[in-house]
Amino acid sequence: MSVYTKTGDKGTTGLYTGQRVAKNSLRVKAYGTIDEVSSALGMARAFCKNDEVKEIILKLQKNNGLLMADLASLDQEPLITNEHVNELESIIDGIEAKLPPLHEFLIAGESQGGSCLDLARTFIRRAERAILDLAEQEIVHDSDRLYINRVSDLCFVLMRLEENR
């Protein structure tokens, strides 16, 4: 099978649930930005030295597939659930318990892995904005909105853990 299908040559793409939409629709922009996040997280995982950080990043990358499926679907129950959100909160709490309290603004750059995590965090914030733009026009599951917000928080604490700060 060829990598090209020609089905999008006229500027539309197929959603996971089969509907065709414009490639520049808010929905496609939202899940496309999550795709960018996955690539940024992959780069972070490649550069990180801390095995715990790498394991959590891999889990986030896998969950991004579920999030993209949610955003690329219409009239479907969410694959990202409140349990996913709760799990991220638990991971964040566990990492924060290991780290000293913050007393100043952090500037990324102490390590390659930490810098990549900080870059991924900014991509995640862009994805969150894209999801919120979509939610103003179409239905977006609350669990998806909460999840992406927690992912950016998690990347921040992962950066701190990777850089041992």
Side-chain angles (χ1 to χ4, degrees):
M1 176 177 211
S2 177
V3 72
Y4 60 87
T5 63
K6 298 186 182 183
T7 58
D9 288 353
K10 294 186 179 176
T12 64
T13 190
L15 295 180
Y16 191 63
T17 48
Q19 301 88 344
R20 295 212 56 90
V21 297
K23 287 183 176 183
N24 63 346
S25 72
L26 292 175
R27 185 163 296 280
V28 175
K29 287 179 182 179
Y31 71 73
T33 309
I34 298 299
D35 195 22
E36 293 174 18
V37 167
S38 292
S39 293
L41 287 171
M43 185 182 305
R45 188 166 54 91
F47 281 109
C48 284
K49 306 283 190 228
N50 182 311
D51 287 336
E52 178 185 5
V53 171
K54 292 172 80 144
E55 181 180 320
I56 294 168
I57 292 171
L58 180 59
K59 184 177 203 77
L60 291 176
Q61 289 178 284
K62 290 177 180 179
N63 285 346
N64 275 351
L66 301 176
L67 181 57
M68 287 193 312
D70 279 356
L71 295 170
S73 299
L74 297 175
D75 303 319
Q76 298 286 320
E77 289 298 312
L79 298 172
I80 293 290
T81 64
N82 287 330
E83 287 76 31
H84 290 96
V85 176
N86 294 338
E87 181 182 16
L88 292 187
E89 290 174 354
S90 177
I91 293 169
I92 292 166
D93 292 345
I95 293 171
E96 283 188 314
K98 299 176 189 178
L99 297 169
L102 276 179
H103 298 292
E104 60 188 12
F105 183 76
L106 295 182
I107 298 172
E110 295 297 317
S111 70
Q112 288 177 323
S115 295
C116 289
L117 279 163
D118 194 57
L119 181 63
R121 181 191 57 77
T122 66
F123 285 15
I124 293 161
R125 289 294 192 201
R126 179 174 43 194
E128 182 179 20
R129 291 188 298 273
I131 290 169
L132 292 174
D133 286 344
L134 174 62
E136 288 180 356
Q137 306 292 319
E138 300 182 43
I139 294 172
V140 173
H141 300 292
D142 288 341
S143 54
D144 291 334
R145 288 186 305 98
L146 295 172
Y147 181 82
I148 196 65
N149 186 268
R150 295 306 180 279
V151 172
S152 66
D153 296 334
L154 179 53
C155 279
F156 179 74
V157 297
L158 287 173
M159 182 266 298
R160 290 185 62 209
L161 184 60
E162 175 67 19
E163 295 186 348
N164 293 312
R165 316 193 258 179

